[in-house]
Amino acid sequence: MAELLMLGQRLRHFRVAKGLTLDQLGGRVGIAPSQLSMIENGRREPRLSVLEQLAAALDVRLADLLDETPPTERAALEVELERLQQGPLYRQLGLPDIRVTRSMPQETLEALVGLHRELARRSRDAIATPEEARRANTELREHMRGEDNHIAEIEEIASRMLRDVGHTTGALTHRSVSVMAERLGFELIYVSTLPHSTRSVTDLEHGRIYLPPASIPGGHGLRSMALQAMAHRVLEHSEPADYAEFLRQRLEINYFAAACLMPLEQSVTFLKARRQHRDIAVEDFRDAFGVTHEAAALRFTNLATTHLGMTVHFLRAGDDGAVYKAYENDGLRLPVDVTGSTEGQFVCRHWAARRAFDRTTRTTEFYQYTDTPEGTFWDSAQIGSASTGEFSITVGVPFADAKWFRGRETTVREVSRCPDVSCCKRPPAQLAERWKGKAWSSAKLHAHILSPLPSGTFPGVDDQELYEFLEAHAPR
Ligand SMILES: [Zn+2]
């Protein structure tokens, strides 16, 4: 279809260039002007022999007629409009086709093509619907499960870069992060007025990474953010084509930052030493490398299976039990919806991720054994708080591996029968009978369930604000 349109355009172009009318050219090759017109409009496919005669009559090569390049800018627009009108997007609207004629004013043609392009762009963006985003998220989690949450290539890159700046032990300093940036040709600049829709901005032309000012100088967040910004360059990311790629890139930059802050070799040495003393604790791992509890817990899942030989699970859950983030390769049955997505689903009331909230002391980890239909698991949970409320970070292992951890001697033991609804998803019969139909409550909207999903266009950066920022801060 598109090829016929282009052929027609090229045919007309050469005919007009030769100063021939439809009648004249038709006469030379022995076909009716009406037939020739239909060929030029892409509505009829000419036989090869006819094409050869036409090429000869126009004094061009057959290849010139069959070339896919639009002969003029105008022709390109005409073909694009025809193509877009035939496309499924426009067909669905049930609107009439507009005949593209040579008398159509250039601006009408440009306006129509512009509208069609915008329609296509918007519908592409709309593909990042919550369903699509959830599916992409689930696929990525399943992929990482297959890899034991480990990415060897990123570990290698991070290790090499750390060696290059002479980092050998302990927490990665802010100074080392700056030197790493310099080696990549970037300068870290702290500004108080980043565009609202961004966490950091990278000016590739001038080699600058703009970051928010340090609320806690040298804090984990800032080093992490700088490393994430550098990661896009180090891992050679280009603009993500879809939501799945956007998620994968985000995972990779987080992974890179974690692999720098908690380097492979030092982390594994640290954890193996703790294992020897049967005293592994995420809180110690966190403190040894100066990171957040969540970062240390996630990093532990990167290394536990490939380097310590144990399967694990990780959960970040809200105080209502809703999952924000989860990972498992040890058989723990995460709550999932029909699509297999776990974000926003509620974990069993008997799991450590929820029982930890009942405790009044929250400065140390909470330990618990849980008997589930999938076996017995041991968990350590830590409560934290964010602007969205309190949350728990859980790291757990199957019963057999509990012996390596601090807190293995806990006497707290719960039984979970989920997903059996009689476990905790249904109120006790007596209470139900007492209160059914006698009360009414107003539900809270779970903002965090929607928050990991993109709103409107993705990645959701306001270009105008971004470019104005870059312009204002660029070196002169
Ligand atoms: Zn339950």
Side-chain angles (χ1 to χ4, degrees), residues 47-231:
R47 286 199 311 275
L48 190 62
S49 58
V50 173
L51 273 183
E52 280 167 344
Q53 289 177 47
L54 284 167
L58 291 167
D59 217 5
V60 296
R61 293 172 306 142
L62 181 60
D64 292 327
L65 282 183
L66 295 172
D67 194 329
E68 294 277 295
T69 340
T72 60
E73 208 180 312
R74 164 93 190 186
L77 282 172
E78 288 182 11
V79 170
E80 187 175 356
L81 182 56
E82 285 279 7
R83 195 171 49 75
L84 288 164
Q85 286 193 146
Q86 300 308 320
L89 212 54
Y90 188 71
R91 295 278 94 174
Q92 281 167 15
L93 299 178
L95 296 170
D97 285 352
I98 290 171
R99 276 285 307 278
V100 184
T101 60
R102 265 158 303 152
S103 60
M104 180 183 276
Q106 181 75 7
E107 57 195 10
T108 306
L109 186 59
E110 281 174 11
L112 285 170
V113 169
L115 283 170
H116 274 284
R117 284 179 185 161
E118 180 62 13
L119 177 68
R121 189 189 69 78
R122 287 188 184 215
S123 88
R124 264 198 312 277
D125 284 345
I127 289 171
T129 56
E131 292 75 31
E132 176 72 18
R134 275 168 195 280
R135 197 172 326 128
N137 213 15
T138 301
E139 274 169 17
L140 188 58
R141 184 160 43 78
E142 276 162 13
H143 168 75
M144 288 310 292
R145 187 186 198 274
E147 304 290 316
D148 291 329
N149 221 21
H150 190 81
I151 309 177
E153 302 77 46
I154 298 183
E155 298 286 357
E156 269 166 43
I157 294 169
S159 295
R160 179 166 38 78
M161 288 182 66
L162 291 168
R163 264 199 309 279
D164 288 351
V165 297
H167 177 71
T168 49
T169 54
L172 183 65
T173 62
H174 193 270
R175 169 75 193 140
S176 295
V177 174
S178 297
V179 176
M180 284 169 79
E182 273 167 36
R183 301 258 166 120
L184 289 170
F186 286 119
E187 185 187 354
L188 302 180
I189 294 174
Y190 300 92
V191 288
S192 50
T193 51
L194 276 175
H196 291 96
S197 52
T198 61
R199 298 177 45 185
S200 69
V201 169
T202 303
D203 175 347
L204 292 168
E205 192 180 316
H206 302 102
R208 293 172 149 208
I209 295 174
Y210 296 99
L211 295 162
S215 53
I216 309 165
H220 158 254
L222 211 56
R223 281 176 294 146
S224 180
M225 224 183 286
L227 289 165
Q228 286 177 31
M230 284 148 61

Side-chain angles (χ1 to χ4, degrees), residues 350-351 368-377 399 413-417:
H350 301 287
W351 285 14
Q368 173 184 314
Y369 285 97
T370 314
D371 297 320
T372 80
E374 283 70 42
T376 300
F377 294 89
F399 181 83
R413 191 154 190 153
E414 294 268 339
V415 176
S416 163
R417 283 177 290 108

